[in-house]
Amino acid sequence: MSHPPTSVSEYSLVVAERVESADDVVSLILRHPDGESLPEWRPGAHIDLLLDGGLVRHYSLCGDPGDRSSWRIGVLRVPEGRGGSAYVQGKLHAGTPVRVRGPRNNFALRPAGRYLFVAGGIGITPVLPMIAAAEAAGADWRLLYGGRSRSSMAFLDELAAYGEAVTVHPQDRHGLLDLDGYLGEPDPGTLVYCCGPEPLLAAVEDRCRAWPPGALRVERFQAREQEETAADAGAFEVLLSRSGHSLQVPPGKSVLETVWAAGVSVLFSCAEGICGTCETEVLEGEPDHRDSVLSAEERESGETMMICVSRSRSPRLVLDL
């Protein structure tokens, strides 16, 4: 079960090293300027970079969790993006200070005897420490790694050490990934982890519909499209249990926007339902989940919600704020 963070620390770090890892991909090694140890993290965790101009972008940690001296992230330049990757690649060089928040983990690796990993493009970043952990645990695992071309696929030198457990599948040479062959037979003892562009995630979700509930976990870099529902057209009440505020959330406004307008400070980052920063405990009511973080089981429980995008199916929500 995912739980909302009670507090998230911020750090002033420095870019210790910058490496060109593939076409349009750079890796940044971040360290404390005084050499202090960084907080512990586990595979699947990400950090937020707090950039100039109010930009906040989250990136998966892709180094060694056992190395407390540094954090590594991989950043893909996205020309049609919102400016975060262009800023990171254009402004952050060796010696540049950077503010960082985290780490936080919405994509944790659960224990299993066997894993099937699927990564597309920069989606390899959270998977790298996962396969290292699976290998160290003695689990049976495989990785199917796709990209536009071999030159666009980062960290191939590191993955080569795993031999035949890794299948590298550049699209310009081999076409689309053979997901039917890779995921065609459901296995009750296997967990599937996938990260990459939305078409890949949708295709993997489709192939895993016959798998046992909870077997698939995905992490998105962009919010999935939402269909309009009746909840979009109506207002609802939000009672903040800690502050005592009773607020009306109108159509077209998020819970987060409404709470902030009332002067209640809530931690958030992406405002798109993909990072998990604004996850909030629900004490009463039925959320209308619009996020791309919670699993089907977590949504069904209704214990938490991402207030930046999710609304309410009930006339009233009581939140732990």
Side-chain angles (χ1 to χ4, degrees), residues 240-292:
L240 310 185
S241 65
R242 279 188 263 163
S243 64
H245 285 72
S246 179
L247 309 173
Q248 283 292 119
V249 181
K253 289 285 187 180
S254 69
V255 176
L256 177 63
E257 290 172 310
T258 304
V259 168
W260 267 89
V264 179
S265 179
V266 179
L267 198 64
F268 73 98
S269 178
C270 72
E272 294 185 316
I274 59 175
C275 73
T277 305
C278 70
E279 186 174 6
T280 301
E281 187 175 355
V282 179
L283 303 178
E284 292 181 26
E286 183 183 1
D288 180 23
H289 296 290
R290 310 293 184 85
D291 67 275
S292 301

Side-chain angles (χ1 to χ4, degrees), residues 149-192:
S149 64
R150 191 174 181 87
S151 64
S152 73
M153 301 171 71
F155 308 114
L156 292 179
D157 53 342
E158 297 178 29
L159 292 169
Y162 294 110
E164 294 183 356
V166 174
T167 299
V168 176
H169 193 103
Q171 186 175 345
D172 62 348
R173 296 185 186 181
H174 305 295
L176 297 176
L177 298 177
D178 180 15
L179 296 177
D180 289 326
Y182 193 65
L183 301 171
E185 292 297 328
D187 182 352
T190 298
L191 295 182
V192 181

Side-chain angles (χ1 to χ4, degrees), residues 100-266:
V100 176
R101 186 167 63 203
R104 184 182 299 107
N105 200 334
N106 304 309
F107 194 43
L109 184 68
R110 292 180 290 158
R114 185 169 186 260
Y115 299 96
L116 292 177
F117 298 105
V118 185
I122 198 63
I124 190 62
T125 49
V127 173
L128 276 177
M130 288 185 173
I131 63 175
E135 180 79 3
D140 179 25
W141 64 272
R142 297 290 183 271
L143 167 64
L144 181 60
Y145 178 23
R148 298 187 312 275
S149 64
R150 191 174 181 87
S151 64
S152 73
M153 301 171 71
F155 308 114
L156 292 179
D157 53 342
E158 297 178 29
L159 292 169
Y162 294 110
E164 294 183 356
V166 174
T167 299
V168 176
H169 193 103
Q171 186 175 345
D172 62 348
R173 296 185 186 181
H174 305 295
L176 297 176
L177 298 177
D178 180 15
L179 296 177
D180 289 326
Y182 193 65
L183 301 171
E185 292 297 328
D187 182 352
T190 298
L191 295 182
V192 181
Y193 281 80
C194 179
C195 185
E198 185 59 31
L200 173 63
L201 300 184
V204 169
E205 287 175 330
D206 183 63
R207 268 65 171 193
C208 287
R209 294 191 195 284
W211 284 64
L216 171 65
R217 292 303 301 265
V218 303
E219 183 167 63
R220 284 177 158 82
F221 292 140
Q222 64 185 49
R224 55 181 154 194
E225 293 186 7
Q226 300 285 344
E227 295 183 1
E228 287 194 8
T229 69
D232 292 299
F236 57 94
E237 179 190 5
V238 170
L239 177 62
L240 310 185
S241 65
R242 279 188 263 163
S243 64
H245 285 72
S246 179
L247 309 173
Q248 283 292 119
V249 181
K253 289 285 187 180
S254 69
V255 176
L256 177 63
E257 290 172 310
T258 304
V259 168
W260 267 89
V264 179
S265 179
V266 179

Side-chain angles (χ1 to χ4, degrees), residues 80-101:
E80 69 279 8
R82 297 176 298 151
S85 66
Y87 182 99
V88 171
Q89 292 213 10
K91 302 286 188 179
L92 300 189
H93 301 276
T96 305
V98 60
R99 288 190 303 138
V100 176
R101 186 167 63 203

